[in-house]
Amino acid sequence: MDTLYTVFVDPFVQMAAAPDFLMQVLWEGLVSGVLYALIALGFVLIFKSSRIFNFAQGIMVVFAALTLVGLHENGVPAWAAVPLTLLVMYCLAFGIERVVLRPLINQPDIVLFMATIGVTLFLIGFGEFVFGGENKVMITEQLGIPVGSLEFEPFGGFLLIEEKDVTAVALAILLVVGLLTFLNKSSMGRAIRALGDDHQAALSVGISLSTIWVLVWFIAGVIALVTGIVWGARAGVSFALEVIAYKALPVLMLGGLESVSGAIIGGLAIGILEKLFEIYWGQPFLGGNTETWFAFIFALIVLLFRPQGLFGEKIIERI
């Protein structure tokens, strides 16, 4: 009985006894979840339009952040480094479409997936060759991102919120709203959705596959840059960010590989739940560090009952 009380009752008693600390945990989880959702959006966007699982999305986050910091270290002002980095990401998208994807049109999905692994390995080697392998500091203040903190006293307790985290959440909201507006209101956005719904029908009405691929890979590059800035402001800029980016995989498993809303809700759910589990169950009973595996176990449990994810489409084929 003591064990059952310790596992199933005591954590909730602690939450009720210290609501200010619970709010701190929820805020930290929300910030992590927003960043997971951003990375997952890059995966979803490319998969929706081309049915390619972009294994290179994680290294694109690193490459975008390294390019931004590298340009600034070489004397480019921060306000000019951002558009120049976007230009680099556009050139990367154009090069991937022209050199990697175009020759592989009509090839099996596994071939395209392997091609994105090749892109990953190329970007790792090219990034280390150009920028070096050492850790770098994100140019947070130069970009105008506040680095102070806000203090509150909810329920007579104490709550500390980093201003850069508030900025990260605001940037993520603006990016998601802009992306949804583009996909739903613009002609190019409708073309991307049409390509995802029916590839052959979209091509038959004159939608250019090459143009759409360049566009979606560039948008994925923009998402990678924003993610690299906000993650870099929290953890520095290094190739370790690629590993953090793979935390988006359980988000995709949970939310569904084709759903924008699934990526957002899945990211927030994973971020908040893994933080709550780490603080109230992981550290007391398992020695901590549960954030490295909790999301994957949780997503696997969901897949046992709903293989397409919470928001994925259930595909039924008649034989």
Side-chain angles (χ1 to χ4, degrees):
M1 288 298 292
D2 289 342
T3 302
L4 292 177
Y5 176 85
T6 303
V7 174
F8 293 106
V9 179
D10 188 57
F12 298 100
V13 173
Q14 293 182 42
M15 293 179 195
D20 57 317
F21 183 65
L22 175 61
M23 292 179 66
Q24 185 76 56
V25 173
L26 291 175
W27 170 252
E28 296 291 336
L30 175 68
V31 174
S32 297
V34 166
L35 299 179
Y36 295 158
L38 270 183
I39 302 171
L41 277 177
F43 285 98
V44 169
L45 186 63
I46 290 179
F47 188 82
K48 276 181 71 71
S49 63
S50 59
R51 300 293 168 184
I52 299 174
F53 183 83
N54 178 25
F55 191 79
Q57 186 64 32
I59 193 61
M60 286 173 66
V61 172
V62 179
F63 189 77
L66 283 174
T67 302
L68 178 66
V69 176
L71 287 171
H72 186 68
E73 286 179 346
N74 285 280
V76 179
W79 58 266
V82 173
L84 284 177
T85 303
L86 290 175
L87 178 61
V88 171
M89 299 311 291
Y90 176 80
C91 293
L92 178 65
F94 185 82
I96 289 174
E97 189 280 327
R98 188 57 58 94
V99 177
V100 179
L101 300 180
R102 182 176 293 191
L104 298 177
I105 291 177
N106 294 326
Q107 294 298 314
D109 293 344
I110 186 63
V111 174
L112 294 168
F113 172 68
M114 295 301 292
T116 65
I117 295 179
V119 172
T120 302
L121 298 176
F122 168 77
L123 289 178
I124 291 174
F126 186 67
E128 288 186 346
F129 174 72
V130 175
F131 304 109
E134 67 277 6
N135 295 349
K136 298 180 184 298
V137 178
M138 176 52 66
I139 50 174
T140 308
E141 294 183 61
Q142 294 87 341
L143 292 172
I145 298 175
V147 294
S149 59
L150 305 172
E151 298 178 1
F152 302 93
E153 297 181 355
F155 306 104
F158 181 76
L159 175 64
L160 180 69
I161 293 179
E162 298 282 346
E163 292 182 0
K164 60 186 176 187
D165 289 344
V166 178
T167 305
V169 172
L171 280 175
I173 292 173
L174 287 175
L175 187 62
V176 169
V177 171
L179 181 60
L180 291 176
T181 303
F182 172 76
L183 289 176
N184 293 313
K185 302 296 182 183
S186 70
S187 58
M188 293 303 290
R190 286 191 287 270
I192 292 173
R193 291 164 51 205
L195 204 58
D197 292 338
D198 192 323
H199 217 88
Q200 295 299 326
L203 295 177
S204 67
V205 297
I207 294 176
S208 170
L209 183 63
S210 299
T211 303
I212 296 300
W213 274 2
V214 172
L215 180 62
V216 295
W217 278 79
F218 174 61
I219 295 175
V222 174
I223 294 173
L225 176 59
V226 174
T227 309
I229 291 174
V230 293
W231 264 119
R234 290 167 60 88
V237 180
S238 71
F239 285 90
L241 277 180
E242 184 189 10
V243 179
I244 296 174
Y246 291 142
K247 292 292 289 290
L249 296 180
V251 173
L252 297 172
M253 295 163 66
L254 179 63
L257 196 52
E258 302 176 353
S259 173
V260 172
S261 57
I264 298 169
I265 296 174
L268 296 178
I270 290 287
I272 292 173
L273 289 175
E274 74 171 11
K275 187 64 72 176
L276 284 173
F277 187 83
E278 166 73 16
I279 298 299
Y280 291 102
W281 285 272
Q283 292 181 3
F285 308 122
L286 302 173
N289 203 29
T290 60
E291 290 180 87
T292 57
W293 53 263
F294 171 81
F296 295 93
I297 299 297
F298 179 71
L300 282 174
I301 293 173
V302 172
L303 288 183
L304 290 176
F305 301 96
R306 191 171 171 80
Q308 70 273 29
L310 296 177
F311 297 89
E313 297 178 1
K314 190 173 184 178
I315 300 174
I316 300 176
E317 295 184 356
R318 297 183 183 278
I319 300 175

